[in-house]
Amino acid sequence: MHKLAGPAGLVLAAAAEMTVPDDLDPQLWRDQAVLRAVENAWEAEDLVSVGALATGYDALLLYVPATVGGALTLHPVGNAERRHRGAFSTPSVYADSLARRAIPALPGDGRLPTIVDPACGAGNLLRAALGRLLSLGVPPQEVLGALHGVDADPVAVSLCRSALAADLSLAGRPTDPAELEHQILSGDGLSGGTPNQEAAGAGLTWHTAFPAVLDVEGAEPEPVTGWRGGFDVVVANPPWERLKVHARDWGGSIPTGLRDHRAGTARALRDAGRHPLTGAGELNAYLPFVETCWRLLAPHGRAALLVPAGIASDRSAARLLEALCAAGALDRLHLIEPRGPIFAGVSGRVGVAVVELAGGPSAVHTDVSAEVAVGLAGPDQPPGERAWQLPAHLLRVLNPNSGTAPLFASSIDATIVTRAHRRTPVLLRRDPAGGTTSDDPWKLRLVTPLHMTRDARHFRSGPGEGLVPLWEAKHCAMLDPNGGTATAPRYWVPRELVQERYGDLCDRGWLAGYRNVSTTVAPRTLLPAPLPVVAVGNSLPLISAQRLPLLLAALSTLPVDYLLRQKHAGANVNFFKLEQVPVPPPEAYDRPCPWGEGTIADWVLERFARAVVWAPHLSGLVAELEEAGVEVSQELDPVRIATARAELDAAHAVLLGFDRVELTHLIGTFTALRRQDETRHGDFATSIRVLQAYDRLKPG
């Protein structure tokens, strides 16, 4: 609490002033104390403390007043109520950046722009927008009418009004919070009715609340909602919570009534028709908020939003992203990988995206590309060489099944990967409308194995008759079923269950899987491995194909790993990402081998047999390779393994059409692999081996 000593002290003092019934809910006591503290600060004309209480509101939600040992204190109660209210205050560096992006200049016609935050909380973004207007020369006396906000939390709304009034007063325009009662409103910004839809919940009716902005006579109606007009500026950092409540996400401490409230909100979003791009599936609140922000925007307006990085790569965001690109509304998409936590109490591994929109749905744009930059350290880092252009049609070139955005780190990567997609088909192509398979040259099957939670009733803690061990991702490494960080299984599972779940996959005599928990900052992202016929946990999805050894060889290579990384964000290598990776089709391997006798397949399988870290329980794979005419030596020679893997990397660079410059670049993007090599060998040994192999296969 040391960082909140001021606000915390004010709230504690206010709590001590109150007469509190014994049965008063501690959360309600805290809320009333926060509001009393604001009143006290106003009475004392301490306007700086008013602003500090608003800024610290999200952290104050982590505590409730309590009497401990006869003394009143603020007692920590965890993060549940803060998450319930979506109260994660936007840090000033992000708030100021969003305000500058959304308001680059004042309108040329001298008008005061209309500004809204549809999930305003205690007002950090609106306060930044107010500061931006003042910095652009708008007199304090004129600013008040520009600001609008909505939030479902009435305490936050009261704080927002008070903080804006305090900021205006300090700027020279004495303001009472009551003057903002008709502009900063309490309500659900997602589920209210529109001119085109009846209300599906007790939400805010936007065009009734702000008729001067959204019910403008003669204005072109927004196609979905029917709102006429629109805001000049939208800024938002909406809630990021999934609407479906899982007890495990809340540590067993689900706020009272949250499950029913979220279920009702989800039904409203799905049924009302107001969110046709995001109101489906397992909803995360930020997506319908982004859609609402776009629909609230005037044809000439601008929006700047802070949202999870998943907006670029998650399937749930794909329809919205594609619609924004097709309309020419997506102006910039900057993905930020912070060096530390952005929000107090939230992991620093959580990446964010700054989304800038130019024009609402009624705007007409042609031949417009969005600027995308990945891996920025902060919101104000110039993108420089990281920036590349994303035209709408490229989404379906690079991710034909999902329409999600690629995640290139530079314009060089954009060029290399786009060319690769135009040359080579993806692993499995689906019809974009229905999701049915339209092209499957490998006869691929991706199988979700046993679920570590739902199937736990079948697990045994030790071996026994009729039981087989359970393999998890941590047991495996690249082409190595035993090379992970764990050396022994934790559980054993009935053999009959394995046969029932995996079916004919077991008939092959061996299985194959890949570690789906991986990041692009790890030495390698795609880590396939052959497996014995055992139980497999859900962190190790199974792969099946007619020519499975050949496919495993391809998936183990650096060029294919590089192509996957351009689609991957977060920690899970989902099926839909793997399916959309360019992989040479089987017929590419059936051509005469330019590097030896037989076919390319023969050559690749020989190297694959040398690249596997063999274990006695892989006899099924040994038999399959020997039946194909491949000699298998199970000698574990690290040099032989490394050489074979380098040759597989080089061969697939050739098959995918990469020249030496492109291959050098793509290897160089594996920075953690470089560091690992330099620590072990003193140089980037992998790069040296692969490039030498490439020169042997493709001289000149």
Side-chain angles (χ1 to χ4, degrees):
M1 288 291 288
H2 65 283
K3 291 184 179 179
L4 284 173
L10 294 171
V11 170
L12 199 58
E17 298 172 7
M18 301 168 61
T19 302
V20 181
D22 292 338
D23 60 349
L24 182 66
D25 180 89
Q27 300 280 5
L28 181 58
W29 186 6
R30 187 266 331 288
D31 288 351
Q32 292 177 355
V34 168
L35 296 177
R36 174 72 68 87
V38 174
E39 292 175 5
N40 291 344
W42 272 105
E43 290 174 3
E45 298 183 356
D46 184 1
L47 301 183
V48 173
S49 290
V50 173
L53 285 162
T55 300
Y57 175 62
D58 60 334
L60 290 168
L61 291 176
L62 302 174
Y63 301 85
V64 294
T67 302
V68 179
L72 186 63
T73 186
L74 288 178
H75 178 69
V77 290
N79 208 26
E81 186 64 21
R82 183 185 180 209
R83 288 179 57 192
H84 177 195
R85 303 189 191 196
F88 291 85
S89 180
T90 310
S92 59
V93 65
Y94 282 87
D96 293 342
S97 178
L98 291 180
R100 289 192 299 272
R101 291 167 182 255
I103 317 172
L106 295 175
D109 56 10
R111 292 183 304 107
L112 185 66
T114 53
I115 302 169
V116 70
D117 182 346
C120 64
N124 269 29
L125 284 174
L126 287 176
R127 295 173 69 189
L130 164 60
R132 176 62 175 164
L133 292 179
L134 294 175
S135 72
L136 290 172
V138 178
Q141 293 76 15
E142 299 178 13
V143 171
L144 182 64
L147 305 172
H148 306 76
V150 174
D151 199 90
D153 178 2
V155 178
V157 166
S158 180
L159 282 168
C160 181
R161 292 171 184 161
S162 294
L164 288 171
D167 289 351
L168 280 167
S169 299
L170 289 170
R173 197 282 193 190
T175 307
D176 188 274
E179 294 183 67
L180 287 152
E181 285 184 354
H182 299 294
Q183 292 170 230
I184 311 298
L185 304 179
S186 179
D188 179 355
L190 295 180
S191 60
T194 74
N196 289 354
Q197 296 102 11
E198 294 183 3
L204 183 85
T205 306
W206 281 88
H207 59 289
T208 301
F210 305 116
V213 181
L214 294 172
D215 193 12
V216 179
E217 186 175 353
E220 184 75 17
E222 196 279 319
V224 170
T225 62
W227 292 328
R228 294 181 300 161
F231 289 90
D232 300 307
V233 174
V234 179
V235 289
N237 170 20
W240 295 10
E241 288 289 342
R242 290 186 300 174
L243 295 185
K244 186 174 183 179
V245 176
H246 296 279
R248 65 179 181 273
D249 295 337
W250 296 83
S253 180
I254 302 174
T256 303
L258 177 63
R259 195 186 298 273
D260 291 341
H261 171 74
R262 291 275 183 86
T265 300
R267 282 194 300 272
L269 294 181
R270 293 188 182 103
D271 296 344
R274 195 180 121 186
H275 303 89
L277 301 173
T278 57
E282 190 168 323
L283 298 170
N284 188 307
Y286 87 89
L287 285 171
F289 263 112
V290 173
E291 184 171 357
T292 292
C293 289
W294 184 35
R295 302 197 188 284
L296 286 170
L297 200 60
H300 57 270
R302 288 194 64 82
L305 319 173
L306 185 65
V307 296
I311 194 168
S313 59
D314 290 351
R315 279 183 298 180
S316 57
R319 291 186 64 206
L320 174 62
L321 189 73
E322 193 167 16
L324 292 172
C325 288
L330 184 64
D331 188 34
R332 291 190 182 93
L333 175 61
H334 287 177
L335 273 66
I336 297 169
E337 297 174 1
R339 295 189 175 92
I342 294 176
F343 305 106
V346 178
S347 169
R349 295 191 301 271
V350 176
V352 302
V354 174
V355 176
E356 291 184 58
L357 305 179
S362 298
V364 178
H365 302 285
T366 57
D367 299 325
V368 175
S369 297
E371 178 190 274
V372 182
V374 177
L376 301 179
D380 293 325
Q381 178 187 347
E385 293 183 356
R386 292 182 178 273
W388 51 277
Q389 295 299 309
L390 176 64
H393 76 274
L394 204 58
L395 290 172
R396 290 291 174 179
V397 171
L398 299 168
N399 284 311
N401 302 341
S402 65
T404 47
L407 299 173
F408 304 133
S410 70
S411 58
I412 297 173
D413 295 296
T415 300
I416 292 174
V417 177
T418 300
R419 288 174 179 170
H421 272 273
R422 296 193 188 280
R423 290 190 300 259
T424 307
V426 296
L427 187 57
L428 187 148
R429 194 178 187 99
R430 297 183 181 276
D431 175 70
T436 56
T437 301
S438 59
D439 186 26
D440 182 14
W442 285 95
K443 302 297 183 283
L444 179 72
R445 285 175 61 191
L446 298 173
V447 180
T448 301
L450 299 179
H451 195 281
M452 298 300 290
T453 301
R454 291 196 298 268
D455 291 314
R457 67 186 185 277
H458 301 295
F459 298 173
R460 306 292 182 266
S461 58
E465 185 176 353
L467 301 179
V468 294
L470 180 117
W471 243 257
E472 301 174 62
K474 59 188 176 183
H475 294 115
C476 302
M478 172 69 73
L479 297 182
D480 184 355
N482 297 317
T485 56
T487 57
R490 292 190 295 166
Y491 304 111
W492 280 257
V493 177
R495 187 184 306 275
E496 291 78 5
L497 180 65
V498 173
Q499 292 286 342
E500 175 189 328
R501 293 292 178 89
Y502 309 161
D504 58 348
L505 271 66
C506 302
D507 298 340
R508 194 170 206 138
W510 63 286
L511 303 173
Y514 72 95
R515 294 177 54 158
N516 76 341
V517 180
S518 189
T519 69
T520 56
V521 297
R524 296 290 296 265
T525 300
L526 184 54
L527 295 165
L531 306 169
V533 178
V534 292
V536 179
N538 55 275
S539 61
L540 196 59
L542 295 175
I543 308 169
S544 178
Q546 284 186 347
R547 302 172 72 176
L548 186 54
L550 200 58
L551 180 58
L552 272 194
L555 297 181
S556 73
T557 63
L558 280 167
V560 172
D561 196 336
Y562 166 79
L563 293 169
L564 172 73
R565 286 180 175 224
Q566 313 308 310
K567 308 168 187 297
H568 182 48
N572 292 316
V573 183
N574 309 93
F575 286 169
F576 81 93
K577 297 174 184 175
L578 186 60
E579 289 176 353
Q580 297 179 107
V581 176
V583 176
E587 58 265 26
Y589 298 87
D590 293 333
R591 299 168 186 153
C593 182
W595 318 304
E597 296 180 357
T599 65
I600 294 175
D602 297 330
W603 189 94
V604 167
L605 289 177
E606 287 177 7
R607 272 73 189 167
F608 173 72
R610 300 173 196 166
V612 171
V613 180
W614 289 100
H617 47 233
L618 292 178
S619 57
L621 174 56
V622 172
E624 184 168 333
L625 288 172
E626 290 180 341
E627 187 178 345
V630 178
E631 181 180 345
V632 178
S633 170
Q634 299 187 39
E635 176 188 0
L636 295 181
D637 179 351
V639 174
R640 183 184 182 191
I641 290 171
T643 301
R645 292 182 180 182
E647 290 179 335
L648 288 175
D649 292 335
H652 283 83
V654 174
L655 290 170
L656 287 162
F658 294 133
D659 63 29
R660 197 180 196 280
V661 172
E662 292 171 330
L663 179 59
T664 302
H665 171 83
L666 76 84
I667 296 173
T669 65
F670 290 81
T671 53
L673 180 62
R674 174 195 289 273
R675 288 194 296 270
Q676 187 180 83
D677 273 9
E678 289 174 346
T679 299
R680 293 176 178 175
H681 310 293
D683 56 23
F684 196 0
T686 299
S687 177
I688 294 169
R689 281 194 298 266
V690 174
L691 291 172
Q692 287 176 345
Y694 183 89
D695 291 339
R696 291 195 300 271
L697 300 184
K698 197 171 183 179

